[in-house]
Amino acid sequence: MNDTAIVTDSVKRFKWVGTRPIRPDGIPKVTGRAMYGADLKLPGMIYGKVLRSPHAHARILSIDTSAAEKLPGVKAVMTAADLPAQKFDYIGPERVAVNFWHVTRNIMAREKVYYEGHAVAAVAAISNSIAEEAMALIKVEYEVLPHVIDVDEAMAEDAPLLFEDMITRGITPAPTKPSNISKRLEFSMGDVEKGFAEADVIVEHEFKTAAVHQAYIEPHSAIAKYEADGQCEIWSSSQGHFAMRALTAQIIGAQLGDLRVTPAEIGGGFGGKTVTYLEPVAATLSKKSGLPVRLMMSREEVFRASGPTSGASMWVKIGVKNDGTIVAADGIFKFQAGAFPGSPVMNGCLCAYAPYDIPNQRAVGYDVVSNRPKAAAYRAPGSPISAFAVESVLDMCAQKIGMDPLAIRQKNACRIGTPTLSGPKHAHAGYLETVEALMKHPAYQVKLGPNQGRGVASGYWFNGGGESSATLQINADGTVLIATGSPDIGGSRASMAIMTAETLGIDYSQVRAIVADTASVGYTHVTGGSRVTFATGTAVVNATKTAIKILCERAAMIWGVDPEGVIWDDGFAKPAGSNVGDFKPLSLKEIAGKAAATGGPITTSAGVNAGGQAPGFATQFCDVEVDPETGKVTILRFVAAQDVGRAIHPSYVEGQIHGGIAQGIGWALSEEYIYNTKGLLDNPGFLDYRCPVASDLPMLDAVLVEVPNPTHPYGAKGVGEVCICPPMAAIANAIEAATGKRLYELPMSPPKVLEALSA
Amino acid sequence: MASGPARVVFTSGFAARYTNGVREFDVWASNMRQVIKAMDDMFPGLGEHLEEETTLAINGEYHETGYFQPVPPGAEVFFIPRIEGG
């Protein structure tokens, strides 16, 4: 990779922050010894399987499990009747307003199946083959119902209804007729009509994006061991074992204290492992059988039954003056929620124009159910979808007024104090710096050949903060253990160890970073929302600072002076001044060796609800070549500038950016769910659902722009999500530059490109 | 440094649901506990909705809605629907 770093501040350099030590989990992973969800085996463990709906939409008339229960080797069979009823209520935050009436029905169908692959029953048996045989003995009588897949068709007046009593929220007065529209949202600022009246050029168009899967390599898996005393242990692969504990407890009707969840190593999540599918089922089968139960999805099950992100249908209109000033932006964003309400349409609305200073803005969103698996989060959920439309239209505006696409973004770039559609004014800089980093990039001046084109796009993501915990232990030999509750998806063990070593002033090799289970460290929210380095990192630094205070107190005791007379400097306790006395500095190891004599083990914990996270800004350009005979688009070059605050471990920051680009390229060019006329998924596997592989990708050039976040001890900003926002529009804009033809629908696969070329 | 009461702002949707459509309020407060309590005094039950359903921006800085955040004099306190990432 040709990655580069641009540092915009001149504060002091660090000893470990910004270096690239080997990750603590590297060797187990490359030698195949890391324990993923499917690797763990427990004594007496049995095997679970889930029976899934063969229909896109059907009423369940009856389920007869008697024959399966009688099969020798079968230890438990369950249906939704084994789970407690849940109240119909949208609980909690808007975007993730969890309605457990829906959640429990997604775990296991009750009155109806809402999509092909919807779980209907589950069995646990002494072998996988017996479990499969038992599944075939379960008799389910269905009344097949009309189905609807596409979001626009689902919004039609005569569309088959998934929920006969669903009244659209967010409309006053409330509609009198049910529909598949779960919710309508509207955000606006300024006077949009007046803004368009001032525009010299107005561009508007409709766009469509396909639902795409997070395509983590490791399928979902979970093991549960339910004891007779009501205590249950769960091992699972997820982005948050505390979240899995909370969701499972609610679904099975247990107390949080009765569940202990241990995180397995995780083979990718990208948002899709923030929700539960298997843990409550495994726990219920274990409770019924009295044995540990393992459940694991096949790849087909992952595609058919776990969340992709939404596909969408959108309309965007932007007005600009001839000098490039954007005066108004308007958009309608209709997102597929899947079978149950809850798409990321609100995020799509709020992020749509966020990089820009536009006085008049409006975004209207619709959350729409259809007969597809329930949508789940996927990197910057919602933002990449609206960015595809907005960044395409902005490119069209720039073209109409003859302005360079980076120049129009530079002219309208948001700054500190710029109002946003979500309400608050921007409190952090960083966007303009990404645009200007690309303007200065030598590759932006490279001349392109025939059938080649260059496209630019930007993206915005809020980034997260919130609750995290860390526990620090100092061992007698001076090594340090830092435990957090954040599953390590993107190298967080390394960044936690770096921040611990930096704060203590000791060598990185003296720190061990682990991910602890729900009984061994305090509550920690999911590894998602680009929050871990910021929020969990803050907890780590706080725990380390408390440890330093104790180390100074212990040194004071050793020297027989007041604790205020001791300072911590570069890994040593030192006298604060010559008046304290002439003492040889004490290393952490020396103090640790005296721990018993000075008060016992040195251990600290910190819990934070971290706020003040800075958003993520990204601007990218790519060069493509379009084969006019086949329609194949080859990515020649991809340069991605991103404001990363400060890169704690630059290699993993670059890795996040590379990954976001690669997934964005797949979203742009090849990935889509293909349904047949019966509403059944025709491509539930990696052969037919085409993710990019290494040979599809050029060298990816990540440009790390460092505008430090003053609210983080080391200036970190979340980096894992915003990188996936620009690629789809950047590629669409490049295709247009190469061919003169614009594509408005994803994926821009060869057949669609050929169709556009021949139009 | 601005002085005076904090300006508390809701989204139009939130205001329509809970504050009779009124979006902006002036509240004397030095921390978020006082802001939430003042709003709950005006609209009984509103405090719980604020805690459960919103994210907070104090002068543009995002926080989870809690009691402990300090509110500078003259701050703009914006309650928006909570954001969840991937």
Side-chain angles (χ1 to χ4, degrees):
Chain A
M1 303 295 163
N2 306 312
D3 305 310
T4 52
I6 295 171
V7 180
T8 58
D9 72 316
S10 57
V11 298
K12 69 168 184 169
R13 295 292 87 201
F14 297 96
K15 191 171 181 179
W16 291 106
V17 168
T19 65
R20 302 172 187 253
I22 291 172
R23 62 195 296 167
D25 51 320
I27 289 175
K29 284 180 174 167
V30 299
T31 56
R33 291 178 182 275
M35 295 288 284
Y36 290 89
D39 291 325
L40 189 68
K41 291 190 174 78
L42 295 180
M45 187 179 82
I46 59 174
Y47 303 87
K49 292 276 178 189
V50 176
L51 180 68
R52 298 185 180 279
S53 167
H55 305 295
H57 192 196
R59 201 174 308 282
I60 298 174
L61 302 177
S62 66
I63 304 176
D64 180 357
T65 60
S66 56
E69 287 165 18
K70 288 175 191 154
L71 184 70
V74 170
K75 299 295 184 184
V77 181
M78 74 166 285
T79 65
D82 292 294
L83 300 173
Q86 302 285 341
K87 194 176 158 194
F88 188 96
D89 193 11
Y90 290 91
I91 301 169
E94 188 87 6
R95 153 67 184 89
V96 285
V98 177
N99 187 330
F100 279 96
W101 191 93
H102 292 141
V103 175
T104 195
R105 278 162 177 76
N106 198 34
I107 299 288
M108 198 67 71
R110 292 185 181 231
E111 305 84 5
K112 288 165 85 175
V113 289
Y114 292 101
Y115 55 94
E116 185 208 13
H118 195 164
V120 175
V123 301
I126 58 172
S127 71
N128 279 316
S129 57
I130 293 174
E132 286 194 8
E133 195 180 338
M135 280 208 303
L137 295 174
I138 296 173
K139 296 189 186 77
V140 185
E141 195 180 351
Y142 295 103
E143 176 195 350
V144 177
L145 300 169
H147 67 273
V148 62
I149 299 292
D150 178 77
V151 63
D152 289 318
E153 290 174 12
M155 292 176 75
E157 281 233 349
D158 58 349
L161 292 179
L162 276 73
F163 302 95
E164 288 82 359
D165 56 355
M166 181 182 280
I167 299 296
T168 307
R169 293 168 292 155
I171 295 178
T172 306
T176 54
K177 284 176 60 181
S179 75
N180 290 319
I181 305 169
S182 156
K183 186 168 62 175
R184 181 187 183 277
L185 300 160
E186 180 169 341
F187 301 92
S188 63
M189 56 185 265
D191 184 333
V192 173
E193 281 70 29
K194 180 169 167 285
F196 281 117
E198 293 168 3
D200 296 316
V201 169
I202 295 173
V203 176
E204 62 182 303
H205 213 280
E206 292 177 343
F207 296 83
K208 283 202 133 180
T209 67
V212 295
H213 200 274
Q214 297 84 348
Y216 28 82
I217 295 300
E218 181 202 21
H220 296 267
S221 65
I223 297 175
K225 181 163 72 81
Y226 207 104
E227 301 292 357
D229 61 1
Q231 299 292 300
C232 181
E233 284 190 74
I234 293 172
W235 293 260
S236 77
S237 167
S238 81
Q239 287 179 244
H241 39 304
F242 286 91
M244 293 307 113
R245 183 181 67 164
L247 292 166
T248 303
Q250 179 69 29
I251 294 295
I252 69 172
Q255 296 186 90
L256 293 177
D258 293 332
L259 300 182
R260 179 179 182 179
V261 184
T262 300
E265 205 64 69
I266 178 169
F270 313 109
K273 289 183 181 169
T274 56
V275 287
T276 183
Y277 301 100
L278 299 180
E279 288 85 353
V281 178
T284 303
L285 290 171
S286 179
K287 184 178 184 181
K288 292 190 83 170
S289 67
L291 295 167
V293 174
R294 181 167 82 186
L295 278 167
M296 192 170 76
M297 285 193 190
S298 66
R299 179 59 57 189
E300 280 203 9
E301 287 178 295
V302 169
F303 274 110
R304 291 191 204 280
S306 72
T309 191
S310 304
S313 176
M314 301 172 282
W315 165 84
V316 165
K317 175 180 175 181
I318 292 178
V320 298
K321 286 188 160 302
N322 283 329
D323 68 357
T325 305
I326 308 173
V327 289
D330 198 3
I332 297 173
F333 304 92
K334 298 176 278 187
F335 277 31
Q336 297 161 359
F340 299 98
S343 74
V345 69
M346 186 189 85
N347 298 348
C349 291
L350 296 182
C351 294
Y353 324 114
Y356 307 112
D357 185 355
I358 307 174
N360 308 294
Q361 307 180 25
R362 180 167 53 206
V364 176
Y366 292 93
D367 183 64
V368 184
V369 295
S370 61
N371 296 112
R372 326 173 61 116
K374 166 76 180 70
Y378 183 24
R379 285 181 122 149
S383 181
I385 299 169
S386 56
F388 169 59
V390 170
E391 295 291 315
S392 294
V393 172
L394 187 57
D395 196 71
M396 294 153 78
C397 290
Q399 204 172 47
K400 283 212 168 196
I401 60 173
M403 195 166 186
D404 176 86
L406 283 175
I408 196 169
R409 287 167 172 83
Q410 181 190 37
K411 183 173 184 62
N412 294 283
C414 68
R415 291 170 165 80
I416 291 173
T418 299
T420 68
L421 197 53
S422 47
K425 298 179 178 71
H426 280 293
H428 294 272
Y431 174 58
L432 181 63
E433 290 81 351
T434 67
V435 175
E436 293 180 345
L438 292 192
M439 288 176 134
K440 294 172 196 156
H441 198 285
Y444 195 64
Q445 308 306 328
V446 171
K447 299 285 180 210
L448 299 176
N451 302 317
Q452 296 180 350
R454 178 166 296 145
V456 168
S458 293
Y460 170 88
W461 177 243
F462 293 97
N463 287 337
E467 292 171 90
S468 279
S469 300
T471 294
L472 181 143
Q473 299 173 39
I474 296 176
N475 298 312
D477 63 358
T479 53
V480 176
L481 177 78
I482 188 76
T484 72
S486 295
D488 181 357
I489 304 184
S492 60
R493 289 184 186 92
S495 60
M496 298 306 143
I498 284 175
M499 286 185 273
T500 305
E502 184 73 49
T503 308
L504 276 171
I506 63 172
D507 197 88
Y508 171 84
S509 66
Q510 297 302 101
V511 182
R512 305 286 179 273
I514 68 159
V515 185
D517 67 77
T518 55
S520 306
V521 70
Y523 176 82
T524 301
H525 196 42
V526 296
T527 298
S530 300
R531 61 175 297 280
V532 169
T533 310
F534 177 76
T536 307
T538 300
V540 164
V541 172
N542 288 357
T544 309
K545 286 180 174 173
T546 304
I548 287 172
K549 184 170 178 291
I550 295 172
L551 288 164
C552 288
E553 290 167 356
R554 301 296 178 93
M557 193 178 293
I558 292 168
W559 289 334
V561 301
D562 288 338
E564 293 74 29
V566 182
I567 59 166
W568 191 260
D569 180 33
D570 201 22
F572 289 85
K574 297 176 181 174
S578 56
N579 59 326
V580 176
D582 184 19
F583 299 107
K584 180 175 172 251
L586 286 170
S587 69
L588 185 146
K589 184 177 179 180
E590 288 168 315
I591 300 170
K594 293 277 187 190
T598 55
I602 299 170
T603 177
T604 66
S605 289
V608 298
N609 190 341
Q613 65 271 25
F617 293 109
T619 304
Q620 304 173 354
F621 77 83
C622 67
D623 296 342
V624 305
E625 181 167 330
V626 181
D627 185 330
E629 292 186 2
T630 66
K632 182 178 187 297
V633 176
T634 301
I635 309 288
L636 304 172
R637 176 182 289 109
F638 216 114
V639 183
Q642 185 169 321
D643 171 25
V644 303
R646 182 171 283 115
I648 304 299
H649 192 306
S651 296
Y652 301 131
V653 174
E654 289 155 3
Q656 290 287 338
I657 296 172
H658 297 157
I661 295 170
Q663 289 183 308
I665 289 172
W667 201 338
L669 295 179
S670 57
E671 295 182 36
E672 63 181 319
Y673 274 41
I674 298 170
Y675 284 94
N676 63 28
T677 54
K678 293 180 177 172
L680 310 181
L681 185 62
D682 270 350
N683 61 334
F686 279 138
L687 278 179
D688 297 316
Y689 180 95
R690 182 69 165 77
C691 290
V693 295
S695 56
D696 294 317
L697 302 174
M699 298 300 281
L700 307 174
D701 183 351
V703 180
L704 307 187
V705 178
E706 293 196 316
V707 184
N709 176 7
T711 62
H712 182 271
Y714 294 110
K717 295 178 180 174
V719 300
E721 295 180 276
V722 72
C723 41
I724 202 174
C725 299
M728 288 70 81
I731 293 169
N733 295 342
I735 292 172
E736 200 278 342
T739 65
K741 303 288 185 181
R742 180 164 291 278
L743 278 80
Y744 301 97
E745 184 173 339
L746 300 182
M748 297 173 286
S749 51
K752 286 188 191 151
V753 174
L754 270 186
E755 188 183 336
L757 292 177
S758 60
Chain B
M1 173 71 77
S3 61
R7 170 58 55 96
V8 174
V9 189
F10 300 123
T11 62
S12 53
F14 191 90
R17 279 202 298 282
Y18 301 123
T19 60
N20 303 323
V22 181
R23 291 191 57 202
E24 300 193 15
F25 298 85
D26 286 339
V27 173
W28 287 96
S30 60
N31 61 39
M32 281 309 301
R33 172 74 187 105
Q34 292 168 4
V35 170
I36 292 169
K37 183 168 187 317
M39 295 311 305
D40 195 64
D41 287 345
M42 278 187 263
F43 300 94
L46 180 60
E48 190 175 335
H49 292 297
L50 292 172
E51 290 181 35
E52 290 292 317
E53 299 174 21
T54 65
T55 287
L56 184 65
I58 303 173
N59 288 333
E61 292 275 13
Y62 282 87
H63 301 264
E64 286 194 358
T65 303
Y67 299 159
F68 59 93
Q69 291 97 353
V71 176
E76 183 183 65
V77 177
F78 223 111
F79 289 95
I80 65 169
R82 198 178 284 188
I83 310 296
E84 192 82 354

